[in-house]
Amino acid sequence: MIAAVAAGVLVAASGVSLGLWASSDGDGSPAGSTAASAGQTPGGRDEEGAAPGKSPSPSPSRTYPLSKAPRTIPSVRDHTAERGPGWRPAKDHRVVVTDPALADEGRLIAGELGLAYAGEKGDRRDGDLRLELNRGSGANPESYTMTVRGGRVTVTAPAEAGVFYGTRTLKQEIKGAGTAPEGVVRDEPAKQRRGLMLDTARKFYTAGWIEDRIRELGDLKYNEIGLHFSDDQGFRIASDSHPEIVSEQHLTKAQVKKIVDLAASRHITVVPEIDSPGHLGAVIAAHPDLQLRNAGGGAVRGAIDISDPGSAEIVDDLLNEYAGLFPGGQWHLGADEYQALVVSDPEASFPGLAAAARDKYGPDATVEDLTTGWLNDRAATVRAHDRTPRAWNDGFFRGGSVPAAKDIQVAYWTGKEIGARPPVEYLSEGRKVINYNDEFLYYVLGEPLTFVYPTGERIYEQWTPLVLRGTTPVPDRYDAQILGGSFAVWGDIPRAQTQDQVAAGIRLPLAATVQKLWDPDRPELSWAQFRALADKVD
């Protein structure tokens, strides 16, 4: 965070470690080397109006106070202050790009600020907003440098995502204060995964509503939106391979493609989730022969019989089909709350599963082993499409004959479920973890069980990515294994809130969550200041 102003430079507080920055200040000048930062006006005069070495004399040149760091959500991580008027958009200003890959980012910010999009131009004009790539910098691809100097703005980054985030900072500066302050912003996220997950299976959300959330997420520098579109209550995306399982209320593939394309334009990955082998009630409704039954012949709600080859066939059909619809590199496999494992003796209660486990993995294998084998097989299916798999933490078990594949990331949500272990157990195994802490980040419609709607204030003041379970952080040494976090909206009582109420309810929690994912240190602003800022830049 910004700690002090010294010699015209805002100094980062101790303990903040930032990676390689995207570039120099945009015009080849080192930070703080301009006449303005040395206490001179842009015309080369000192603050008394005299040229260097001459007696003071009246001058029409203006002097400016040292700039203050911009206020944005999430806050920028470093700002070098300079003296100057800053920059505000005008109709005759241009957006210029140095690479055709930045056309989307250029056109978007031009439209938002009312500027002319000029495409690729070599000349420089007063008022220009210039977007540049510095692909060979070796920096974090989500980092960027934004220089406001001499009546122009330059955003430079090693990849398109960084340039986009620079334009989001500029947009918020203009919306909140009217002017981008003179100086240099150097910024990058602390965590690489910053997400919102939507349970669209139990509560149907329209395509337009999801698109609005993507625009909101993009402006906040989120880079994931998860769609949990299959559960006991519904299957919400059209299917060509198994149309019989699709709910009446669903998204068409054309609608999903539009969502995916909009997300990509905001550098957001859509992460699909078909939760198995539990939570497959909508699939089982069309294929009752695949439902798991206990030793007494009783049907187990939502659970598919993983000893039946037909179960793997239908789930793999769906995973393979949707790989073409969701091109992003992430895939959520679910794996939580398989009801065969919530009884005291799974082998006695489900002898068919126990026999299948022994046949496949040896005489000492258990139902847990068979379930882990199912997860590994589904991970192999999505891995063949170059996807990185993740699964809920209670889908990973201690011991056993069959370990979960090492590349399956842990979506840690709770310690309350059977099979859930303390976060350090997963981390000590070397696993990568994404924080979905249900104590802070779960927005469960209707507030069933012990859930209460999370508040932005509590997230802002008490949560960090290290707080994976409950309210206690894991040791700092595991920080690099925690890839990021995700706020989650669950539809347990779907009619408890309308779409508009959900959007309003998650607005401040989303702002607070991304602030702590971008920079987990104690925020500079109080909660009251942060909330007021959110109202300005929203």
Side-chain angles (χ1 to χ4, degrees), residues 34-326:
T34 65
S37 65
Q40 296 175 339
T41 69
R45 299 178 179 273
D46 63 25
E47 292 187 63
E48 299 298 323
K54 295 185 179 182
S55 300
S57 61
S59 167
S61 299
R62 293 185 59 186
T63 60
Y64 297 95
L66 205 62
S67 63
K68 295 182 179 180
R71 287 195 168 182
T72 59
I73 298 175
S75 59
V76 301
R77 302 189 71 192
D78 183 86
H79 177 252
T80 301
E82 296 183 5
R83 299 181 188 277
W87 180 90
R88 70 171 60 230
K91 290 183 179 179
D92 60 342
H93 290 175
R94 308 181 305 173
V95 176
V96 176
V97 300
T98 63
D99 191 301
L102 297 175
D104 287 346
E105 288 77 14
R107 289 191 177 96
L108 178 62
I109 190 65
E112 290 168 331
L113 298 184
L115 309 179
Y117 176 68
E120 296 177 74
K121 299 289 183 183
D123 64 316
R124 296 175 184 266
R125 297 183 187 175
D126 288 346
D128 276 356
L129 165 57
R130 192 173 186 85
L131 308 182
E132 300 179 342
L133 284 177
N134 183 16
R135 295 185 187 275
S137 68
N140 179 343
E142 293 190 310
S143 68
Y144 67 92
T145 298
M146 183 173 70
T147 303
V148 180
R149 184 181 295 146
R152 302 188 184 97
V153 181
T154 303
V155 177
T156 305
E160 292 98 310
V163 171
F164 175 71
Y165 295 144
T167 67
R168 299 307 87 192
T169 294
L170 181 63
K171 178 184 177 182
Q172 285 198 21
E173 288 175 331
I174 299 305
K175 194 166 186 179
T179 302
E182 202 87 0
V184 183
V185 167
R186 296 176 179 86
D187 203 13
E188 66 176 349
K191 293 300 179 182
Q192 63 178 267
R193 310 283 3 137
R194 306 178 302 279
L196 165 66
M197 194 227 73
L198 294 172
D199 173 10
T200 64
R202 282 178 277 192
K203 181 176 180 66
F204 177 73
Y205 294 93
T206 64
W209 188 90
I210 296 172
E211 290 168 8
D212 285 343
R213 301 289 73 69
I214 288 171
R215 295 184 184 96
E216 179 182 3
L217 295 176
D219 283 353
L220 290 171
K221 303 186 179 81
Y222 277 88
N223 63 4
E224 274 192 9
I225 183 167
L227 297 182
H228 175 95
F229 64 90
S230 169
D231 211 307
D232 297 340
Q233 295 81 358
F235 193 99
R236 302 295 185 182
I237 297 178
S239 170
D240 297 321
S241 64
H242 291 282
E244 73 280 0
I245 69 173
V246 178
S247 301
E248 182 178 355
Q249 272 192 314
H250 67 271
L251 299 175
T252 67
K253 286 193 171 182
Q255 288 174 318
V256 174
K257 184 179 186 305
K258 187 179 176 186
I259 287 169
V260 169
D261 289 348
L262 176 64
S265 74
R266 266 65 173 176
H267 299 277
I268 293 171
T269 298
V270 181
V271 183
E273 181 190 356
I274 298 175
D275 195 347
S276 78
H279 296 284
L280 281 172
V283 173
I284 293 169
H287 295 272
D289 54 308
L290 298 180
Q291 186 159 31
L292 178 66
R293 295 183 178 275
N294 61 27
V300 180
R301 184 175 184 268
I304 205 164
D305 184 353
I306 58 176
S307 69
D308 188 330
S311 296
E313 181 179 351
I314 192 170
V315 173
D316 282 348
D317 284 347
L318 295 168
L319 295 175
N320 287 321
E321 176 183 359
Y322 290 114
L325 189 61
F326 296 101

Side-chain angles (χ1 to χ4, degrees), residues 8-30:
V9 177
L10 287 179
V11 182
S14 61
V16 176
S17 177
L18 300 178
L20 292 172
W21 297 112
S23 73
S24 69
D25 294 354
D27 62 358
S29 302

